Amino acid sequence: YLESQVRVGFLGSGVGLSLVLGFGVAYACYYLNSIAKKPQLVASNDRFCRFLEEYCPVVTETYYPTIWCWEGRVQTLLRPFITSRPQVQYRNELIKTADGGQISLDWFDNNDSSFYPDASTRPTVLLLPGLTGTSKESYILHMIHQSETLGYRCVVFNNRGIAGEELLTPRTYCAANTEDLEAVIHHVHSLHPSAPFMAAGVSMGGMLLLNYLGKTGRDTPLMAAAIFSAGWNVFESVESLEKPLNWLLFNYYLTTCLQSSISRHRQMLEKLFDMDLVMKARTVREFDKQFTSVMFGYRSIDDYYEDASPCRKLKSVGIPVLCLNSVDDVFSPAHAIPVETAKQNANVALVLTSCGGHIGFLEGIWPRKCTYMDRVFKQFVKAVFEHGNKIFSM
């Protein structure tokens, strides 16, 4: 009788409510069965696996991506806008390089650390941002915040020319050349030789760190390393990024960021490069062909990409390394992740999630603060500094 007298809206009717509830239940079942999964842990060393299971349990727990934005591209695009930016007070240091250049380091000394009041023995984490990233990136700030709660000191390695400092020579950086990173590592270690020391690299920073570790083996002051969203095979990465949708969403923007990072140094760089041609690049591959590969003396872009691909050096890594990737990361396609190679090195552990995108790993209904990547970082760093003796004898 009431329905015949009162107009009931669609959502207010029994049919509408049933459809909404039905869709919700169906989506929840799909999410729990197909989206929320335990990561795949790839490691040939049983001792390393047990170490991670005990002291870094997050790598064996189900990862629940944010229910309304679990797709890789969406996570990648939204993370910079959603996640908070913890306040960090840096102390800047400029160090000179052998070729006359300079590198900007941003220190978070954590002098208020109650766990490690003695600065000489305070554990130190070296952080390497992504391709055009600096110490101001939100993921770097969150890593420092996590380290602060544990009492550790951090130092951020800003690649040449992108953190506000001037280029003193016509040289920037690339994923393959590890000379600047070697200088920074030895500089930091010389300042605090008694302090436990490890590093964490994100995206290109992770690639650079892996290439360094593959070159040095065990001959490094670093105790261990954490790698996040590294591009393992550069050929596969650029091919993925050149697909139409990925070019539109990521490649073109990243290319303009690279061009912007060198444009203010144009007067210095024009001594060696046709900057008008470099600024016409519309893809990362074109930029690397006209600029990066030429700067570092490669005969071709293929030679540069082969040298820059960490998958080719993974067998030579000589210290414990934990690498986190998502299999839906368009910057590092799943088929290019060197699973079989990792199994041949007892020092390497891969953690592969089904979702997370590129430096995304958002979780929770409103992922403003801690991400899955942050939790992996915090637990692994703490495990190395406080229980590392259990894996260093591997």
Side-chain angles (χ1 to χ4, degrees), residues 264-276:
R264 73 182 190 89
H265 306 294
R266 183 165 184 145
Q267 186 174 359
M268 172 66 72
L269 296 172
E270 278 181 333
K271 299 175 182 179
L272 297 180
F273 301 95
D274 182 346
M275 292 299 292
D276 289 333

Side-chain angles (χ1 to χ4, degrees), residues 52-83:
L52 293 172
E53 290 169 357
E54 181 174 0
Y55 299 109
C56 190
V58 65
V59 303
T60 63
E61 299 169 356
T62 300
Y63 164 48
Y64 295 93
T66 297
I67 195 168
W68 52 270
C69 67
W70 45 264
E71 198 273 335
R73 295 181 184 86
V74 178
Q75 286 233 351
T76 303
L77 290 169
L78 290 183
R79 182 204 54 79
F81 301 102
I82 291 179
T83 53

Side-chain angles (χ1 to χ4, degrees), residues 88-341:
V88 175
Q89 290 295 116
Y90 287 118
R91 172 177 61 85
N92 183 256
E93 179 187 17
L94 293 176
I95 64 172
K96 300 298 182 182
T97 60
D99 69 332
Q102 63 180 357
I103 301 170
S104 175
L105 301 180
D106 282 321
W107 290 84
F108 175 73
D109 296 300
N110 204 4
N111 289 325
D112 296 328
S113 172
S114 58
F115 297 106
Y116 300 94
D118 184 355
S120 66
T121 57
R122 185 177 304 146
T124 303
V125 186
L126 174 65
L127 301 176
L128 286 73
L131 184 59
T132 58
T134 67
S135 58
K136 298 179 182 179
E137 302 301 322
S138 62
Y139 56 83
I140 294 293
L141 298 175
H142 276 276
M143 287 181 174
I144 292 176
H145 177 67
Q146 300 290 349
S147 300
E148 180 182 14
T149 63
L150 297 170
Y152 307 151
R153 170 175 46 223
C154 293
V155 54
V156 185
F157 166 38
N158 298 296
N159 286 301
R160 292 198 200 192
I162 64 171
E165 82 284 8
E166 294 299 321
L167 278 184
L168 302 183
T169 61
R171 168 176 166 169
T172 56
Y173 59 93
C174 75
N177 189 289
T178 63
E179 292 174 1
D180 283 359
L181 177 57
E182 292 174 37
V184 168
I185 288 174
H186 288 291
H187 172 74
V188 173
H189 181 62
S190 69
L191 294 178
H192 307 286
S194 300
F197 187 24
M198 67 174 292
V202 181
S203 190
M204 194 215 76
M207 297 166 63
L208 181 64
L209 183 54
L210 282 167
N211 286 330
Y212 161 79
L213 295 175
K215 176 181 177 181
T216 58
R218 290 184 178 273
D219 186 20
T220 173
L222 298 175
M223 301 169 60
I227 310 294
F228 301 101
S229 294
W232 289 96
N233 185 315
V234 184
F235 294 100
E236 299 294 341
S237 293
V238 294
E239 183 175 340
S240 174
L241 288 171
E242 286 171 357
K243 293 178 179 179
L245 180 58
N246 295 337
W247 178 85
L248 182 65
L249 293 176
F250 306 110
N251 199 329
Y252 180 72
Y253 173 73
L254 190 57
T255 304
T256 60
C257 287
L258 286 166
Q259 292 167 329
S260 177
S261 70
I262 65 173
S263 62
R264 73 182 190 89
H265 306 294
R266 183 165 184 145
Q267 186 174 359
M268 172 66 72
L269 296 172
E270 278 181 333
K271 299 175 182 179
L272 297 180
F273 301 95
D274 182 346
M275 292 299 292
D276 289 333
L277 186 61
V278 173
M279 300 305 285
K280 290 179 181 178
R282 290 297 175 263
T283 66
V284 173
R285 190 197 299 265
E286 290 177 3
F287 180 89
D288 287 336
K289 181 178 181 180
Q290 301 297 339
F291 185 77
T292 314
S293 61
V294 177
M295 171 174 285
F296 289 93
Y298 290 96
R299 292 179 300 176
S300 69
I301 189 173
D302 287 349
D303 288 340
Y304 166 51
Y305 280 174
E306 182 173 357
D307 196 26
S309 299
C311 62
R312 305 177 186 277
K313 304 179 182 69
L314 193 59
K315 289 182 181 180
S316 303
V317 171
I319 62 173
V321 175
L322 180 67
C323 307
L324 174 65
N325 280 89
S326 172
V327 298
D328 67 353
D329 182 355
V330 299
F331 285 74
S332 186
H335 64 269
I337 299 175
V339 173
E340 295 304 317
T341 305

Side-chain angles (χ1 to χ4, degrees), residues 47 51 223 383-394:
R47 190 172 181 179
F51 174 84
M223 301 169 60
V384 169
F385 284 145
E386 300 185 13
H387 307 284
N389 60 304
K390 297 186 178 181
I391 54 172
F392 295 143
S393 58
M394 291 190 305

